[in-house]
Amino acid sequence: MTRNATSSEIIAAISAVIGDAPRPIALHEPLFVGNENAYVKSCIDTGWVSSVGAFVNRFESDLAAFCGARRALVMVNGTCALHAALMLSGVQAGDEVLIPALTFVATANAVVHAGAVPHFVDVEESSLGVDPVALRAHLQSIARQQSGQTLNRLTGRPIRALMPVHVFGHPCQLGELAAIAREWGLQLIEDATEALGATLDGRPVGDGRHTAVFSFNGNKIITTGGGGAVTTNDEEGYQRLKHLTTAAKQPHAWAFLHDQVGYNYRMPNLNAALGCAQLEQAPRFLAAKRALAAAYARAFAGLGGLRILPSPPGTESNYWLVTLLAESADQAWLDATLQALHDAGLHCRPVWQPLHLLPMYRQHPRSPLTRAESLAQRIISLPSGVRLGLPLLPA
């Protein structure tokens, strides 16, 4: 087994990339160098600051065009957008939804918000996303098809959907996973909350081939402060979801007519204005992120037992968070290394605790999760802000 590099060696490799950037250095932070002030000021000057306004429509149109989708629907945050996508896909109370154990907790929380049950499955090392081979074997082991639906033989509940995640902006094996979903009659929803600008087989993630969800939290590549979106090519579904997420209010000049229980999920114009300005800079931001990842890969090349996770074959990651992966490690090594990095003013982070280990999800259905548990002790996310990558771009 190769010896892992020491904390001092890791700090030196990071410092070789980021140079004399002032410490402490955040894991990720927003960058406002475009029309953000002008667009937000326009909202304030005109009074259009809430969920109706020109920037909401513009951001939706610009985002759909950027992703290559027919429609985008922007919302107050990524968790609400995930919930909305689950409703659009027909997920109902008591259904099970297959999700990776290694993802941010919002993926599972949104399933619960929809009244459904998270069912945790294992991930692969090349993308950190759902492992298609393991998923197929798991379904063959525990599922059966009856009366046009897939049932979990162990719980008796319908398995309604599969929601893979493009972790840290690395596209998962979506083609293989879509084939499994078709085989078992499952709805497929892309949790692309971290993957804006990533590509798969030359096509943008979230291009409408499946319902997809994005996040524009303050720590994402572009931000609206707080925000999320659903992209889709389903015009009827888009109209239905827009109605549902606008409190199910029927159009009328003055009357308040609502035809079902709806949700107040629409993004305010202020946030959309910020998003429009940020999206204008997305190509440059993405180039900076990729340049930063390439510089980290060079700095860590040959460093004992560690490597920077590259884009999976056939994809181009957005490298939202640059992932340092140890060949072999344990929790003691991870904790000691993170402590040393923080002491050096480098705010690196581990990956999330696998969701099946959280107290509210310990009793939920799951496949064997050995790789998710192993990766949780072997991943460190490096400082990945756009600002760090800009000096690495050609003049």
Side-chain angles (χ1 to χ4, degrees):
M1 182 174 64
T2 305
R3 174 191 69 86
N4 286 339
T6 66
S7 297
S8 296
E9 290 172 323
I10 295 172
I11 292 168
I14 297 173
S15 299
V17 173
I18 64 175
D20 58 357
R23 314 283 176 99
I25 297 176
L27 179 70
H28 205 288
E29 58 188 348
L31 181 63
F32 304 120
V33 291
N35 290 313
E36 290 87 354
N37 284 334
Y39 292 174
V40 171
K41 185 176 184 299
S42 173
C43 296
I44 296 171
D45 290 346
T46 61
W48 292 100
V49 298
S50 194
S51 58
V52 177
F55 284 110
V56 176
N57 296 333
R58 175 178 165 183
F59 188 39
E60 289 182 332
S61 177
D62 290 352
L63 180 63
F66 183 84
C67 295
R70 292 177 188 165
R71 289 291 195 174
L73 191 67
V74 295
M75 301 181 201
V76 291
N77 59 53
T79 305
C80 290
L82 286 168
H83 179 205
L86 288 160
M87 292 189 291
L88 177 63
S89 298
V91 171
Q92 302 175 17
D95 290 344
E96 293 183 8
V97 178
L98 300 163
I99 66 171
L102 202 67
T103 181
F104 183 55
V105 70
T107 308
N109 289 349
V111 174
V112 175
H113 295 332
V117 179
H119 183 144
F120 302 113
V121 296
D122 211 4
V123 298
E124 60 175 6
E125 189 163 308
S126 62
S127 71
L128 307 181
V130 172
D131 182 340
V133 175
L135 175 61
R136 179 172 273 113
H138 179 59
L139 285 170
Q140 290 171 346
S141 172
I142 62 96
R144 62 185 174 90
Q145 293 178 307
Q146 177 181 312
S147 303
Q149 62 181 349
T150 297
L151 299 177
N152 184 335
R153 287 202 301 264
L154 304 179
T155 65
R157 290 188 290 255
I159 303 176
R160 188 73 60 190
L162 167 63
M163 190 156 66
V165 181
H166 303 301
V167 175
F168 296 155
H170 297 295
C172 62
Q173 292 195 50
L174 196 60
E176 289 293 319
L177 295 172
I180 294 171
R182 288 192 298 270
E183 177 184 340
W184 288 92
L186 306 176
Q187 295 294 312
L188 186 89
I189 305 156
E190 289 182 66
D191 182 340
T193 49
E194 304 161 11
L196 184 73
T199 65
L200 175 61
D201 299 327
R203 297 168 60 181
V205 165
D207 67 353
R209 68 189 103 174
H210 310 288
T211 299
V213 177
F214 292 99
S215 170
F216 307 110
N217 190 31
N219 65 351
K220 297 300 189 293
I221 293 178
I222 72 163
T223 184
T224 58
V230 174
T231 57
T232 181
N233 288 343
D234 177 0
E235 180 65 27
E236 180 183 349
Y238 162 81
Q239 296 294 344
R240 187 169 68 252
L241 194 61
K242 184 174 182 178
H243 178 66
L244 186 63
T245 56
T246 315
K249 184 179 182 298
Q250 296 179 330
H252 194 280
W254 60 81
F256 292 95
L257 304 174
H258 305 263
D259 56 14
Q260 60 183 302
V261 176
Y263 299 84
N264 186 16
Y265 280 178
R266 292 288 281 158
M267 177 183 286
N269 202 43
L270 277 170
N271 300 85
L274 195 62
C276 288
Q278 289 269 285
L279 195 58
E280 291 172 349
Q281 302 164 82
R284 184 164 175 256
F285 284 6
L286 287 163
K289 299 284 285 185
R290 288 165 178 147
L292 180 64
Y296 273 134
R298 291 191 295 270
F300 279 91
L303 208 59
L306 303 173
R307 63 185 176 93
I308 299 297
L309 191 70
S311 291
T315 76
E316 187 175 22
S317 175
N318 69 4
Y319 292 101
W320 170 54
L321 294 182
V322 180
T323 304
L324 182 64
L325 183 63
E327 292 179 13
S328 179
D330 57 22
Q331 194 65 43
W333 174 85
L334 181 64
D335 290 341
T337 303
L338 287 169
Q339 184 64 61
L341 290 166
H342 275 247
D343 291 345
L346 302 170
H347 290 181
C348 302
R349 293 289 188 274
V351 74
W352 315 279
Q353 185 174 17
L355 297 185
H356 68 289
L357 300 179
L358 297 178
M360 63 282 200
Y361 292 130
R362 285 177 186 158
Q363 303 305 315
H364 280 60
R366 61 180 185 262
S367 71
L369 298 170
T370 53
R371 193 172 290 114
E373 292 177 356
S374 169
L375 285 167
Q377 297 180 335
R378 297 162 49 209
I379 287 175
I380 294 178
S381 294
L382 304 181
S384 302
V386 171
R387 189 185 302 275
L388 298 175
L390 289 177
L392 304 173
L393 293 177

